[in-house]
Amino acid sequence: MSKLCRQVSIESPGSAMNECVFSFEVPMPDVPPYGARIRVVYAGACYRVTRNRSASVCSTSSVSSVGSLAGELECFTMHTSSPSHIGMRDGALFPGYEVAGIVDAIGGLAEGTGGITVGSRIVLYPYEGVPHGYADFIVVPDFQCLVPVPADLPLSIAAMLPTGALLATNTVGTAIECLNTILEGPNKKEKATMLIVGTGGLALWALRIATHYFRGLPFHDRVHISVASLKDEGFVLAKENEQIKVVQWSEDLYERQLIERTIDACGGPVDVVLNFGTTSRSLHRSLQCLAPGGVVLVTENIGERLLPKFAKKVEDMNVNIVAVPNGSIEQLKELVELVANGDIKPPPHSVFPAEEAQEVVRKLCNSEINGRAILKFHNID
């Protein structure tokens, strides 16, 4: 009889379901001949965005960090009429993207493992077809998606890197390209402004990553960075650099007031906006803050949904919206080293036993968790 292991499925919270977390016993996966079996130690509490499930929220949104899950769900159509047994069945298809663990076994035909052996500490790059992460064990077909984790980097922190932090890294990289064109291109400006919009992990990752990379840029002293915070918690956390101005996007104010306040805080219209909000309202507000020829960077999944809606407005305003995908595995490797070396400080995170996944989701919905929520599956200390 096959040995069994645990799998946890997290369904998007909805009014039609009293429970959204389900636990199963599944057969221990066989080791693929050219790949490896991974013992999952930590996995970020998240939902995968799929094209056929609009209610899913992925860990690259503010849900995965400081902020309210309920507040971010307004932009998704909830399946309020779906029976719970359908949700449970579909929930098993949601993997945990952010997986950190150790190599449990290696296939007999595996070659070119890059120095990875049984017992190696790794983080999983979220490749297409990524396996179920909310399980005690997962398998990968080869070693190209595995990134070694240095001994001095806690696996709980490493589990935050493959999606949110990596997406923030790629977004900052894209912003640097845009700023280089603005400051060094044919119609170069003397100074440029960049605005980071969001709350919690993604915005904080972007701020800290940008601060690190900007130090080495020849035009670093010509870029002014501001932060527009969507929540009080984000406002407090973002106020960690006296040179960076913070403007709070309070929903109590009229749109025109918020736009004027933002432009004033930035010293004029903005050239580049890193928008980690998930609503059309935050995107519309970002566009109103742009200088002619400016650009708003949004995450790819949000861009797919909102770009067609804003195409005409963007053309009329002579501005641009660019959808940024998750970063490459090469970027993830560099990010692991930077965080391990202390060059980039990670935002706060909180660790919970996987058995408490139901309670974790409840707390996320009520903004009761400080920082990124990480599920712990095994104790290897």
Side-chain angles (χ1 to χ4, degrees), residues 93-116:
L93 299 178
F94 294 140
Y97 268 98
E98 300 167 311
V99 171
I102 60 174
V103 176
D104 178 69
I106 293 177
L109 301 179
E111 297 178 353
T113 63
I116 295 175

Side-chain angles (χ1 to χ4, degrees), residues 160-174:
M160 294 195 289
L161 304 183
T163 54
L166 183 57
L167 176 59
T169 298
N170 200 31
T171 306
V172 169
T174 305

